[in-house]
Amino acid sequence: MQTCIKLVTLLLLMTSCSSFNRIMKSPDTDFKYEVAKQYFFKNKNTNSSYLLNDVMPGMKGTAKGDEAYFLSAMTQYNVADYTVANEYFKKYMGQYPTGIFVDVAHFYSALSLYMNTPLTELDQTTTYQAVSELQNYIEANPDTKYAFKARDMIYELQDKLVMKEYLAAKLYYNLGGYIGNSTMGGNNYEACIVTSENAIKDYPYSKMKEEFSFLILKSKYHLAQQSVKDKVKERLENTIDEYYGFLNEYPSSKYLNEAKRIFEKAQEKFKSL
């Protein structure tokens, strides 16, 4: 009976801002913690967060402290403050390494990074961090229900990283003979080739592999055209070899006709030398 009265009182107190202020001022830690959990389950994460942060110091090291810290991290995730959520989940794992929520906290730590990854055109440091954290989670928890989801997220993030590399390679190709950005004396076509080859090496199963391979072929041909006389023959040979490699790997490529034209031009010029 007393428990029921307390729950009714708790629910009544949660109905207004002034009531929330009275709850915050209450010296009853257990009562505030129960209110915080009710707020959490009602998706009132901001109020829940205030109360949880208030009671956590007094609960540190206890079973309730374990749950309180995890719920506090979840409130940050639920309000989409993913940077803070990631920090909270990591701190939870540090303070409660054998806690009942440690596996879930590990996943949500990685998920917070995943949710915070930027647009493809921007710096992808956070994306690399998210991939690493997701891989760490899978290694530590290979058979959990979250492991399959983590793998799918890694594939998605890798696609984003591949696209970032493709945009960089395509930019180098489009710049072509422009030397305004070549402060180190390099060549844009060479930069395109290196970027594309590294992407193929780093992501050998990417669906963008064909696009990178075709960029390499085109760049090698244009590089040969730009070359000084003593390098033209060697670079035309490289273009012809690249074509045969491309044809062998992508015999039904949508770029086949264009690739063939490049090959024929390179072969014709090679024969004229």
Side-chain angles (χ1 to χ4, degrees), residues 158-173 189 191-220 242 246 249-250 253-255:
Q158 285 180 336
D159 286 344
K160 179 183 283 190
L161 293 173
V162 170
M163 181 55 68
K164 173 74 172 179
E165 293 302 306
Y166 179 71
L167 292 176
K170 192 73 180 290
L171 177 60
Y172 283 128
Y173 177 80
Y189 291 122
C192 178
I193 293 167
V194 171
T195 302
S196 298
E197 288 177 341
N198 286 340
I200 290 172
K201 181 180 177 181
D202 293 339
Y203 307 100
Y205 305 110
S206 168
K207 59 186 178 183
M208 297 293 294
K209 186 178 177 183
E210 182 180 344
E211 276 70 18
F212 283 115
S213 296
F214 187 54
L215 274 179
I216 292 170
L217 174 61
K218 292 195 295 182
S219 294
K220 286 191 173 183
E242 191 68 35
F246 183 83
E249 189 158 5
Y250 309 104
S253 173
K254 60 184 176 182
Y255 302 116

Side-chain angles (χ1 to χ4, degrees), residues 67 69 84 94 113 168 267:
E67 184 182 55
Y69 211 118
V84 174
L113 289 172
Q267 196 173 47

Side-chain angles (χ1 to χ4, degrees), residues 3-15:
T3 302
C4 291
I5 294 172
K6 194 170 185 178
L7 286 173
V8 171
T9 304
L10 182 155
L11 293 171
L12 289 172
L13 283 169
M14 292 172 64
T15 60

